[in-house]
Amino acid sequence: MIVITGASAGVGRAAAKAFAREGARIGLIARGRAGLEGARRDVEASGGQALVLPLDVADAAAVERAADEIEEKLGPIDVWVNNAMASVFSPIKEMTPDEFKRVTDVTYLGYVYGTLAALRRMLPRDRGVIIQVGSALAYRGIPLQAAYCAAKHAVQGFVDSLRCELIHDNSRMRVTMIEMPALNTPQFGWVKSRLPRKAQPVPPIFQPEVAAEAIVYASHHPRREIYVGMSTVAAIVGNKLAPSLLDHYLARTGYDSQQYDGAEDRDRPHNLLEPVDANQDRGAHGDFDARAHAVSPQLWTNMHRSWLLIGGLILSGAIAALLWRRD
């Protein structure tokens, strides 16, 4: 049985459909009713069973009640996927305290509340998987997304602490954090923005189904952390090796790379406080299908590294044997 927060659109929506193809029972959590109903239809059409739970993950009591209802109606929770997020595209100097608080409440504390709800049910059974949908920005902050980057950094630290405690307690529960690249999700059309031009994910852009593939894989295979996309690997490793260089590079490129053609409408609806998909289903994809990659060779290699290692050893052995015979 699977629980997904932020299930009405984007990565959560794609993950729900991917789990449904395995015949899963899925608790769908998000604020937008229309998006949740669309996700339910996707799940049922793909062979799964869905329970719709409209709520705000920033409300700890609501998350706990939802977990009770899910277990009552669908059975014990096996996998909990924390994915809900909020953000504001804005220079820090123009941000308000309330905006920082709201992004933190959803993108960091929402993960904490979901994790606590999962732990209360999984620890007594000594089994279960918690998957935290992270980002390359959990390791490398970029301009114009300070609140979101800070929240993802907080999730990363929280997960490290939780992992240590589970190991100390000899628990068979697992927690995995998946660091995502730029993804073609609807958030760029509904996030609150003070940018002069329309917001975009920093290229290279991947389809949300790539993220969903990693999430489903993590539910079956114990991994401490999974990087998705070479851009994620480059950002994280590059920040470890040359953080000051990246500071200056992002200062020069980080503004234009997060915007594209067309002036931003400052008066358009945004989802910081209220869902914009309450009456309209936005689906999993954003406006960047023409530029988004449907596969990640890096992720495929990561997921098949054991077989690649075995294949490499066999090939090396065969070459060594051939050379030995020649001698």
Side-chain angles (χ1 to χ4, degrees):
M1 213 295 295
I2 316 294
V3 177
I4 304 174
T5 72
S8 63
V11 171
R13 181 74 169 264
K17 193 171 181 178
F19 277 118
R21 286 194 287 269
E22 297 185 344
R25 290 163 290 133
I26 309 172
L28 304 169
I29 294 176
R31 294 177 300 165
R33 169 67 75 171
L36 282 173
E37 289 297 337
R40 178 185 60 77
R41 290 191 293 271
D42 283 351
V43 167
E44 292 174 352
S46 299
Q49 179 183 350
L51 176 64
V52 166
L53 298 132
L55 64 94
D56 189 336
V57 296
D59 183 341
V63 173
E64 185 66 22
R65 289 193 298 270
D68 281 338
E69 184 176 352
I70 288 167
E71 292 224 325
E72 178 184 345
K73 295 181 178 179
L74 297 182
I77 297 168
D78 300 302
V79 179
W80 187 293
V81 181
N82 283 312
N83 167 70
M85 55 77 66
S87 186
V88 177
F89 286 95
S90 172
I92 295 172
K93 62 189 177 186
E94 297 178 27
M95 292 278 290
T96 69
D98 285 344
E99 288 170 344
F100 273 106
K101 182 179 186 303
R102 176 59 181 165
V103 173
T104 303
D105 285 347
V106 175
T107 309
Y108 170 54
L109 290 178
Y111 278 46
V112 173
Y113 301 152
T115 299
L116 291 175
L119 288 172
R120 291 187 186 104
R121 290 153 181 85
M122 293 178 177
L123 285 175
R125 299 191 285 259
D126 198 26
R127 61 180 174 83
V129 180
I130 300 174
I131 297 173
Q132 317 284 25
V133 175
S135 168
L137 305 187
Y139 289 91
R140 174 64 242 188
I142 63 174
L144 305 177
Q145 292 198 61
Y148 179 81
C149 292
K152 288 298 186 184
H153 274 68
V155 171
Q156 193 273 327
F158 170 72
V159 170
D160 281 351
S161 296
L162 173 60
R163 189 181 293 111
C164 292
E165 293 179 10
L166 291 173
I167 293 171
H168 172 270
D169 295 340
N170 294 314
S171 174
R172 290 190 294 178
M173 276 191 60
R174 293 190 286 110
V175 57
T176 297
M177 190 162 178
I178 305 178
E179 313 303 358
M180 299 296 184
L183 296 163
N184 175 32
T185 67
Q187 68 150 316
F188 298 92
W190 66 28
V191 70
K192 185 173 185 178
S193 177
R194 295 190 179 92
L195 303 183
R197 291 181 288 145
K198 294 178 181 179
Q200 70 167 2
V202 179
I205 305 167
F206 293 87
Q207 295 289 23
E209 287 76 15
V210 174
E213 183 181 13
I215 291 169
V216 173
Y217 177 84
S219 73
H220 297 298
H221 301 86
R223 289 283 185 89
R224 183 182 189 279
E225 194 168 20
I226 296 174
Y227 296 171
V228 179
M230 278 305 301
S231 54
T232 296
V233 176
I236 295 173
V237 175
N239 190 62
K240 292 178 179 178
L241 297 176
S244 181
L245 180 63
L246 271 181
D247 290 342
H248 288 83
Y249 173 77
L250 289 167
R252 293 195 306 271
T253 66
Y255 282 65
D256 283 343
S257 64
Q258 295 184 76
Q259 302 177 71
Y260 73 115
D261 293 340
E264 180 62 274
D265 178 6
R266 296 287 185 91
D267 297 323
R268 66 167 172 75
H270 63 77
N271 75 336
L272 187 61
L273 299 177
E274 300 293 337
V276 297
D277 61 342
N279 300 308
Q280 181 182 0
D281 178 18
R282 301 296 182 97
H285 288 207
D287 297 329
F288 309 98
D289 279 333
R291 293 193 282 150
H293 302 284
V295 297
S296 166
Q298 176 275 338
L299 177 61
W300 186 93
T301 301
N302 194 338
M303 291 167 56
H304 297 86
R305 64 187 186 185
S306 296
W307 289 108
L308 291 172
L309 177 60
I310 292 171
L313 291 173
I314 293 172
L315 179 61
S316 297
I319 292 173
L322 180 61
L323 293 175
W324 181 79
R325 288 174 183 173
R326 286 183 176 178
D327 291 339

